[in-house]
Amino acid sequence: MSVTIYTRENCSLCVVARETIERVADDLGVAVELDLVDVDADPELAEEYGERVPYVLIDDHPAFKYEIDERELRLKLLAAS
């Protein structure tokens, strides 16, 4: 399944989000294709997301903003797999 994280440089919450997704997916044995999108590289994305990162999509559906609830992530990954 695809997981997209809208991120930016020097974003500590973004690092935590990526690490959490990778760890939980590994724990569940769920294969995820992680796509990191730097919102600062695209003026339209920078305008749309601004400081609202990390913003996480699972299979193109909004899943999390700012912080990831690990229990909810487990449920979403299992439901999508």
Side-chain angles (χ1 to χ4, degrees), residues 6-78:
Y6 288 94
T7 185
R8 65 176 4 118
E9 279 190 46
N10 302 315
C11 171
S12 59
L13 288 176
C14 300
V15 172
V16 171
R18 179 181 182 168
E19 290 171 351
T20 301
I21 292 166
E22 290 174 336
R23 180 176 42 78
V24 169
D26 189 50
D27 286 351
L28 295 174
V30 174
V32 296
E33 182 179 320
L34 212 55
D35 183 22
L36 302 176
V37 178
D38 182 352
V39 300
D40 293 327
D42 181 330
E44 288 181 25
L45 290 177
E47 183 177 322
E48 181 176 350
Y49 292 98
E51 297 295 318
R52 296 181 306 130
V53 293
Y55 193 85
V56 179
L57 304 175
I58 297 176
D59 284 339
D60 296 323
H61 298 283
F64 300 99
K65 180 171 61 172
Y66 302 125
E67 295 184 6
I68 294 178
D69 178 287
E70 190 172 321
R71 181 178 180 279
E72 190 175 337
L73 174 62
R74 288 179 180 280
L75 294 173
K76 288 180 182 290
L77 291 180
L78 287 172

